[in-house]
Amino acid sequence: MVHNNMNNKFSFSLIKKDEQSKARAGILTTPHQVIETPIFMPVGTQATVKALSPAELEECGAQIILGNTYHLHLRPGDELIKDAGGLHKFEHWDRAMLTDSGGFQVFSLRDISKITEEGVWFQSHIDGSRHFFSPERVMEIEHNLGADIIMIFDECPPSDAPPEAIVKAVDRTLRWAARCLDAHIKTPFCHGYEQALFGIVQGGTIRELREKCARELVAMDLPGYALGGLAVGEKIETTYDVVNFGSDLLPEDKPRYLMGVGTPIDILECIERGIDMFDCVLPTRNARNGSVFSSRGKVNVKNAKYTRDFNSPIDRECSCYTCRNFSMSYIRHLYMAGEILALRLLTLHNVHYYMNLVRSARIHIMNGTYVEWKAEMIAKMLPSDQGGV
Amino acid sequence: MVHNNMNNKFSFSLIKKDEQSKARAGILTTPHQVIETPIFMPVGTQATVKALSPAELEECGAQIILGNTYHLHLRPGDELIKDAGGLHKFEHWDRAMLTDSGGFQVFSLRDISKITEEGVWFQSHIDGSRHFFSPERVMEIEHNLGADIIMIFDECPPSDAPPEAIVKAVDRTLRWAARCLDAHIKTPFCHGYEQALFGIVQGGTIRELREKCARELVAMDLPGYALGGLAVGEKIETTYDVVNFGSDLLPEDKPRYLMGVGTPIDILECIERGIDMFDCVLPTRNARNGSVFSSRGKVNVKNAKYTRDFNSPIDRECSCYTCRNFSMSYIRHLYMAGEILALRLLTLHNVHYYMNLVRSARIHIMNGTYVEWKAEMIAKMLPSDQGGV
């Protein structure tokens, strides 16, 4: 485990490229944490990864977690978090953080949004109050929050948008990216350390648009790049295809972040296609619905067949607190009885599972055995009590 | 901290009697844990102390926790728990456990209960199914569950019952106690260790009835005695008065357990009146309602004055994980946002507070400073942001 070094600025170095695939292992240095990539980033929407404590996240091996700009702006407010000393201090998380730009959220509320070239008006899902996000405003909010990595404010078209809407979204995303960068570099460090601004490549599933968007963002020489607007309803083969050509559009010496993806299989497939960073609500949200990931695929803890399973943990191959100490029978009882401990134990397991997955992937990249290992892992995951992952 | 010794059978020894009050310090030896009294027992109704892990309970210094016979019989079922190896193994709790008899719960459902001399018919609050509890049946269930301390099945009259109803309840409680003891001593150890059967003194607030009930139960030479049917609506001064004369009715060399009481002040007052053991849902239930105990009294974390309180923990005098790491501002945010972590952090603090309270009480009994310390503690607790505890 690489430890914190507050003196480090942001940097990325590739330390191994797989010879049989595009998989990479790297070191991503941020003000709060030196991160080993490929990495999964648990999502902490409202300044907490749901159901887990910071101490548990560290035990799981989490090196960087997300915060959501949209949610934190609305509650408790980014000014409050700034005054608390930033998001790290506020939520007692000493390792790295990344904030999204809120673009995905405000465009998901499109029926109550007014979109102009200047920015987007939207209503709070909490109290209906009106708010305005522009590139400049989002930079200000993300500076207040103080994450190590911050994202540009992008236009996210819906998955079923016609090509001409995607063309317009790419053009606007590029103009907004320039405004974000301009606002970002003009602002002194809000919390005494550098925040790295990542670009987001949009363009739906249209290769020419992805190429254009990537080309212009790469020309801005940002410290990292994300692929956005994927896993929003398209077929998974299409996602993999866009990730495959999309990662080739990005500089080799910068970290590549695939936003909002995905299942364990998706993560292994996209590591193979050249991605370094992932985030997804799947491990935490599924846990709260009684669904957990295991070395043998997905497991539904509500299944009656676990009622008297006193001797099996969720996953015999897992070393998390849940699997070391609790039977399927007990976990099922807690879940059926609506106990908070069920949500805790299941979330802890799922986040541990994801962190272990990317840690193992990295080891196999380093050893030159990634492609074979990945194939074995996926074969083991497919048979499950729900018929596949 | 005294550690486990599975070879120990049940015993109790007084090691200090306060000279200025009836407060006592003792050692209660059970198959799973040697317990230092006075002790508070967190309530784990459905085989979990709500929102906490077993590891956290141990960190708080919990030495014995409760399980509820009524709830566990209905879900997941005491036969299932027996087959899992007992409640300790099922919920991964290695220290001592106590189960109540379900009497309080089935008599709270009195409009759907049929009470006969043989026992009580009642309907499940979960699915409306009909169930029967008798002294013999409750012993069987408590044997299946396997707690170190089990309680006799008693009749619990409502707080507003007329005297003649309390007379009848005492007589039936005594007959049922004899049947419980008979069923208990005829049964081989269900889980390989002795379970101690405690009597419950009923009698409402009527001195003569408490005296009669205690006299007959004491004649049965049970290993411990509880005062039941208190803190069910009567004035707190009346509770203290009944506890005061009630504890005098019990043998000095047996542990005395006050069921379902109470606030931190109640616990200090009743330790002074000769009680050794307490249980109450207050620390866990209040936590889930945003109310916490502190050295300065009760604190409502929802209070708007904490919105920007970045530098204060719940209680500066507390050393729990919550108070070591999180501000009032953050905790309030989590609570207002409906985050599970809020319930966890607040519950952890409250249970830590209660465990620390009884640990401190014991130290002051040992030092001969209990009465002065108690007065100081209560004086500090009274001023609070809700106008008293």
Side-chain angles (χ1 to χ4, degrees):
Chain A
M1 179 59 65
V2 188
H3 285 290
N4 290 355
N5 182 349
M6 278 291 289
N7 295 320
N8 284 315
K9 289 194 172 187
F10 188 89
S11 68
F12 180 69
S13 48
L14 270 188
I15 59 170
K16 176 86 180 185
K17 287 166 60 181
D18 188 31
E19 293 181 5
Q20 298 175 278
S21 76
K22 293 196 279 182
R24 309 136 43 101
I27 296 281
L28 177 57
T29 301
T30 71
H32 288 85
Q33 180 76 17
V34 178
I35 299 159
E36 297 181 318
T37 63
I39 192 69
F40 178 77
M41 305 181 283
V43 178
T45 298
Q46 300 191 113
T48 167
V49 174
K50 286 191 193 302
L52 297 186
S53 71
E56 287 167 340
L57 282 167
E58 291 193 11
E59 279 170 31
C60 288
Q63 301 179 52
I64 173 168
I65 63 173
L66 252 71
N68 282 114
T69 287
Y70 167 84
H71 293 86
L72 294 169
H73 167 68
L74 295 182
R75 182 170 60 191
D78 51 285
E79 289 284 348
L80 183 149
I81 290 174
K82 178 189 181 185
D83 294 345
L87 199 46
H88 290 87
K89 278 194 187 162
F90 185 59
E91 66 180 89
H92 187 57
W93 176 251
D94 300 328
R95 299 184 180 178
M97 301 205 71
L98 180 150
T99 44
D100 66 1
S101 65
F104 182 77
Q105 281 78 17
V106 299
F107 285 98
S108 306
L109 305 168
R110 56 178 38 246
D111 54 330
I112 53 167
S113 298
K114 186 184 163 200
I115 305 167
T116 70
E117 182 61 20
E118 180 58 19
V120 183
W121 281 98
F122 60 96
Q123 283 187 284
S124 163
H125 71 284
I126 301 168
D127 61 7
S129 56
R130 277 171 61 81
H131 297 260
F132 181 67
F133 272 10
S134 65
E136 294 77 14
R137 184 79 187 90
V138 166
M139 286 299 97
E140 186 184 4
I141 295 169
E142 293 198 76
H143 291 156
N144 285 342
L145 297 175
D148 302 77
I149 299 172
I150 64 179
M151 304 303 295
I152 64 154
F153 186 56
D154 56 338
E155 177 169 342
C156 304
S159 59
D160 57 354
E164 55 274 24
I166 300 178
V167 169
K168 285 188 180 173
V170 164
D171 287 341
R172 183 170 277 154
T173 290
L174 289 169
R175 291 192 299 272
W176 282 3
R179 283 167 58 188
C180 280
L181 179 59
D182 194 47
H184 180 58
I185 58 181
K186 281 201 294 208
T187 314
F189 297 164
C190 186
H191 293 286
Y193 51 84
E194 188 179 351
Q195 297 178 270
L197 178 64
F198 276 28
I200 303 175
V201 177
Q202 291 288 352
T205 59
I206 304 167
R207 189 168 187 136
E208 294 68 29
L209 291 179
R210 289 274 171 188
E211 285 172 349
K212 176 186 179 186
C213 195
R215 187 170 57 241
E216 298 203 21
L217 287 172
V218 169
M220 294 167 70
D221 194 26
L222 296 167
Y225 292 96
L227 299 177
L230 286 169
V232 290
E234 78 281 5
K235 281 188 187 168
I236 193 64
E237 293 75 17
T238 307
T239 312
Y240 294 165
D241 189 45
V242 176
V243 169
N244 194 38
F245 73 70
S247 74
D248 289 338
L249 304 173
L250 300 176
E252 189 176 81
D253 62 345
K254 303 278 177 78
R256 301 165 182 168
Y257 164 29
L258 177 57
M259 302 183 83
V261 175
T263 67
I265 290 176
D266 294 343
I267 286 175
L268 295 184
E269 293 289 359
C270 295
I271 286 174
E272 190 172 29
R273 288 163 176 79
I275 298 297
D276 306 305
M277 302 166 68
F278 299 88
D279 81 284
C280 193
V281 295
L282 215 52
T284 44
R285 181 175 293 166
N286 277 21
R288 297 197 305 283
N289 291 323
S291 174
V292 282
F293 298 97
S294 82
S295 56
R296 64 188 188 283
K298 240 162 72 170
V299 171
N300 176 359
V301 301
K302 291 166 282 187
N303 196 316
K305 74 179 177 186
Y306 299 121
T307 306
R308 288 182 151 264
D309 190 345
F310 304 128
N311 297 312
S312 312
I314 293 169
D315 190 350
R316 286 197 191 283
E317 298 181 22
C318 179
S319 63
C320 79
Y321 176 72
T322 306
C323 289
R324 288 200 313 275
N325 296 307
F326 302 97
S327 69
M328 285 302 292
S329 172
Y330 180 62
I331 292 168
R332 180 178 188 276
H333 160 67
L334 290 180
Y335 192 86
M336 301 308 282
E339 286 288 350
I340 290 168
L341 186 57
L343 310 183
R344 290 183 54 177
L345 295 178
L346 296 174
T347 304
L348 186 69
H349 168 79
N350 272 357
V351 171
H352 187 278
Y353 178 87
Y354 266 67
M355 297 317 303
N356 192 53
L357 186 74
V358 293
R359 197 160 45 230
S360 300
R362 191 176 200 275
I363 290 168
H364 285 279
I365 294 168
M366 296 299 287
N367 292 345
T369 52
Y370 183 74
V371 172
E372 306 92 280
W373 172 78
K374 186 213 80 166
E376 278 170 33
M377 287 293 288
I378 291 178
K380 281 172 67 184
M381 286 175 193
L382 284 172
S384 87
D385 69 350
Q386 291 192 331
V389 175
Chain B
M1 178 59 65
V2 188
H3 285 288
N4 290 354
N5 182 348
M6 278 289 290
N7 296 319
N8 284 315
K9 289 194 171 186
F10 189 88
S11 68
F12 180 69
S13 47
L14 270 188
I15 58 170
K16 176 86 179 185
K17 287 167 58 182
D18 188 31
E19 293 179 6
Q20 298 174 277
S21 76
K22 294 196 279 181
R24 308 134 46 100
I27 297 282
L28 177 56
T29 301
T30 70
H32 288 86
Q33 180 77 15
V34 177
I35 298 159
E36 298 181 316
T37 63
I39 191 69
F40 178 77
M41 305 181 283
V43 178
T45 298
Q46 300 191 112
T48 167
V49 174
K50 287 190 193 302
L52 297 187
S53 71
E56 286 167 340
L57 282 167
E58 291 193 9
E59 279 169 31
C60 287
Q63 301 178 52
I64 173 169
I65 63 173
L66 253 69
N68 282 114
T69 287
Y70 167 84
H71 293 86
L72 294 170
H73 166 68
L74 295 181
R75 183 171 59 193
D78 51 284
E79 289 283 349
L80 183 149
I81 289 174
K82 177 189 180 185
D83 294 345
L87 199 46
H88 290 88
K89 277 195 187 159
F90 185 60
E91 67 180 270
H92 187 59
W93 176 250
D94 300 328
R95 299 184 180 179
M97 301 206 70
L98 180 150
T99 44
D100 66 1
S101 64
F104 182 78
Q105 281 78 16
V106 298
F107 286 98
S108 306
L109 306 168
R110 56 179 38 248
D111 54 329
I112 52 166
S113 298
K114 186 184 162 200
I115 306 168
T116 69
E117 182 61 20
E118 179 58 20
V120 183
W121 282 98
F122 60 94
Q123 283 187 285
S124 163
H125 72 284
I126 301 168
D127 61 8
S129 56
R130 277 169 62 79
H131 297 260
F132 181 66
F133 272 9
S134 64
E136 295 77 14
R137 184 79 186 90
V138 166
M139 285 300 95
E140 186 184 3
I141 296 169
E142 293 197 78
H143 291 155
N144 286 341
L145 297 175
D148 302 82
I149 299 172
I150 64 178
M151 304 303 294
I152 63 154
F153 186 56
D154 56 337
E155 176 168 344
C156 305
S159 60
D160 57 354
E164 55 273 22
I166 301 177
V167 169
K168 285 188 182 174
V170 164
D171 288 341
R172 182 169 278 154
T173 290
L174 289 169
R175 290 191 300 272
W176 283 3
R179 283 168 57 188
C180 280
L181 179 59
D182 194 47
H184 180 58
I185 58 180
K186 280 200 295 207
T187 315
F189 298 163
C190 186
H191 293 285
Y193 50 83
E194 189 179 349
Q195 297 178 271
L197 177 66
F198 276 28
I200 304 177
V201 178
Q202 291 289 351
T205 60
I206 304 168
R207 188 168 190 138
E208 294 68 29
L209 291 178
R210 290 273 172 188
E211 285 172 349
K212 176 187 177 184
C213 196
R215 188 170 55 243
E216 298 202 20
L217 288 171
V218 169
M220 295 167 70
D221 194 26
L222 297 167
Y225 293 95
L227 299 177
L230 287 169
V232 290
E234 76 281 5
K235 282 188 186 168
I236 193 64
E237 293 75 18
T238 306
T239 312
Y240 294 164
D241 190 43
V242 176
V243 169
N244 194 39
F245 72 71
S247 74
D248 291 338
L249 304 173
L250 300 175
E252 189 177 82
D253 61 347
K254 303 279 176 78
R256 301 166 181 167
Y257 163 27
L258 178 57
M259 301 183 83
V261 176
T263 67
I265 291 176
D266 294 343
I267 286 175
L268 295 183
E269 293 289 359
C270 295
I271 286 173
E272 190 173 28
R273 288 163 176 80
I275 299 296
D276 306 304
M277 302 166 69
F278 299 87
D279 82 284
C280 193
V281 296
L282 215 54
T284 44
R285 181 175 294 164
N286 278 21
R288 297 196 306 282
N289 291 322
S291 175
V292 281
F293 299 96
S294 82
S295 57
R296 64 189 189 282
K298 241 162 73 169
V299 172
N300 176 358
V301 301
K302 292 166 280 190
N303 196 315
K305 74 179 178 185
Y306 300 120
T307 307
R308 288 183 151 263
D309 190 343
F310 304 128
N311 297 313
S312 311
I314 292 169
D315 190 349
R316 286 196 192 282
E317 298 182 23
C318 180
S319 62
C320 79
Y321 175 72
T322 306
C323 290
R324 288 200 314 274
N325 296 306
F326 302 97
S327 69
M328 286 301 292
S329 172
Y330 179 62
I331 292 169
R332 180 178 189 277
H333 160 67
L334 290 180
Y335 193 87
M336 301 308 280
E339 287 287 350
I340 290 169
L341 186 57
L343 310 184
R344 291 184 52 177
L345 295 178
L346 296 173
T347 304
L348 186 70
H349 168 80
N350 272 358
V351 171
H352 187 277
Y353 177 88
Y354 266 66
M355 298 316 303
N356 192 53
L357 186 74
V358 294
R359 198 161 43 229
S360 300
R362 190 176 200 276
I363 290 168
H364 286 280
I365 294 168
M366 296 300 287
N367 292 345
T369 52
Y370 183 74
V371 172
E372 307 91 280
W373 172 78
K374 186 213 80 167
E376 278 170 34
M377 286 293 289
I378 291 179
K380 279 172 68 184
M381 287 176 193
L382 283 172
S384 86
D385 68 351
Q386 292 192 330
V389 175

